Amino acid sequence: MEMTIGAIFISLAIFLGLSIPIGIAIGLSVLVGMFIGEQQMQSAFLMQKMISSLDLFPLMAVPFFILAGEIMQKGEMAQRLLAVSRCLVGHITGGMAHISILTCMFYGALSGSSPATVAAVGGVMIPSMEKEGYDKPFSTAVNTAAGCLGVMIPPSVPLIIYGTVAGVSVGDLFMAGVIPGVFVGLCLMLTSYIIAKRKGYAAGNRASLKELFHSLNEAKYALFVPVIVLGGIYGGLTTPTEAGVIAVIYALLAEGLIHKSLNWDKGYEIIRGTVLTNSSIFLVVATATAFGQILMFYNVPDLMVSTLTEFSTNKYVFITIIIVLLLIMGTFMDALANILILTPLLLPVVQKFDFNLVHFGIIMIVTVSIGFLTPPVGVNLFVGCGISKLRIETLSYAVLPFVFAMSMAALLLAFIPQISLWLPTLMTK
């Protein structure tokens, strides 16, 4: 059995090393486990598990939130949020970096996608920061790292996926993700401030109250999106799926009829981007679920429980080990694959150590999101390099302070559960 498990993981590493798309690589490694094991499985196993994995109501929310994010990305909401951020934090040392991070925090509440956040905000801010005298590696690193906030701050596709796999309320996860997302954003701002101070970057001019109120008025439709989504879910008015539909309709009305920023060409780009993104997501969901099932067939969860508990019976040592494991896995598998494969394996151990599953979900999402910044699979790095034309090696080095800051933030979130659980607990009282 050990040989079969080893062959599954070795084959996955080889397929990923050959740059085969993650969903296909996982599916091929499932086939390896099906046909070389001592107990060969039915040839229809992979297809059956792929189909059944997609027959889940909570997953219906994913395409709607992706579509809403595409609409807002192609419209004017990102630009309007930039103006608000400039008024709020532009006067702090390293102001342009803080503007990028705060805008990503706002935009994360619209898109739910990390690469989309980098593209929407970084596409504007990286050239702007260079014009203001910021060096290109720092400008790109700030926007690339801040893009990770797109999957931490709800609505978030990874939070939906985790909730579906772990059997946890997506509404509770959305509410729990608000404060940790803001907390990680503040950690990135602190890191930017220290770097900006050391490099001598100046602060911008402080905006007047009139300018602030004007920018808030211009961006009011974008700022209402998280209120509508989270308010509807936690107020018991809508399910996450229904909230996704409302977000799409709201985005179409705001961008199409009010801002008048959409046209037929942008409509085609929106549909194309939505289809491509959803196709890649659901291929990973389907094959990774089958991968998790075959690991359960070979009793990998029990093996993982016994292995991890051998290290220590202290829950804080355990969660530190898990964070390190997730950081390592994030270097060669994307966030969704890590969530889908590792969640079923880790849940028995998490429950043994009496961790709240909502709290653990936030820890997991924050930690796997760091994988967007670590080569060779760091998607945000490639988006940032595409915008700035930097070499991947240069950007990977420049982003290291932000990777460290986010890793420390993940540890603090793990050790202080109240940061994640305070808001859901407050709302249930």
Side-chain angles (χ1 to χ4, degrees), residues 102-375:
L102 185 58
T103 304
C104 285
M105 291 168 67
F106 285 140
Y107 196 79
L110 307 183
S111 73
S113 167
S114 183
T117 303
V118 178
V121 179
V124 176
M125 287 303 299
I126 292 173
S128 299
M129 288 180 71
E130 288 184 64
K131 289 179 182 177
E132 293 289 332
Y134 292 78
D135 67 75
K136 184 180 289 189
F138 175 68
S139 305
T140 311
V142 167
N143 285 275
T144 303
C148 295
L149 299 170
V151 297
M152 297 179 199
I153 297 176
S156 161
V157 171
L159 282 174
I160 297 171
I161 300 297
Y162 172 83
T164 304
V165 175
V168 178
S169 165
V170 175
D172 286 347
L173 287 167
F174 276 9
M175 196 58 60
V178 174
I179 295 177
V182 173
F183 174 69
V184 174
L186 292 174
C187 290
L188 294 178
M189 284 186 172
L190 176 61
T191 306
S192 298
Y193 178 86
I194 294 170
I195 296 173
K197 199 80 172 174
R198 181 167 57 84
K199 293 191 174 186
Y201 295 136
N205 296 322
R206 185 183 292 271
S208 65
L209 280 177
K210 181 179 179 181
E211 290 172 323
L212 174 60
F213 285 126
H214 176 74
S215 67
L216 288 171
N217 181 61
E218 289 291 304
K220 60 181 179 291
Y221 297 108
L223 296 171
F224 274 134
V225 173
V227 176
I228 293 170
V229 171
L230 295 178
I233 294 172
Y234 228 80
L237 302 175
T238 64
T239 64
T241 301
E242 292 165 345
V245 176
I246 292 170
V248 171
I249 295 171
Y250 181 87
L252 281 172
L253 292 174
E255 294 287 10
L257 297 182
I258 299 173
H259 295 160
K260 301 187 186 303
S261 59
L262 302 180
N263 53 41
W264 290 110
D265 290 337
K266 287 185 178 179
Y268 170 76
E269 292 175 8
I270 288 167
I271 298 300
R272 182 176 181 274
T274 302
V275 170
L276 290 175
T277 303
N278 279 300
S279 299
S280 62
I281 287 174
F282 282 108
L283 178 60
V284 172
V285 169
T287 55
T289 302
F291 189 90
Q293 289 293 314
I294 204 167
L295 293 181
M296 288 184 187
F297 179 80
Y298 288 112
N299 294 319
V300 174
D302 294 337
L303 181 63
M304 182 166 281
V305 170
S306 61
T307 302
L308 288 174
T309 51
E310 283 178 5
F311 283 99
S312 175
T313 55
N314 185 293
K315 66 186 295 187
Y316 296 106
V317 174
F318 157 73
I319 199 64
T320 303
I321 293 170
I322 294 300
I323 289 173
V324 172
L325 172 66
L326 292 172
L327 289 172
I328 294 170
M329 295 292 287
T331 62
F332 62 91
M333 279 205 304
D334 70 14
L336 291 182
N338 273 314
I339 293 166
L340 287 159
I341 292 172
L342 294 178
T343 299
L345 302 182
L346 294 174
L347 280 185
V349 198
V350 170
Q351 291 168 328
K352 182 179 178 65
F353 282 94
D354 199 30
F355 262 93
N356 182 290
L357 293 185
V358 172
H359 177 216
F360 180 72
I362 299 302
I363 298 168
M364 192 171 205
I365 299 306
V366 171
T367 308
V368 298
S369 71
I370 300 172
F372 286 111
L373 305 176
T374 52

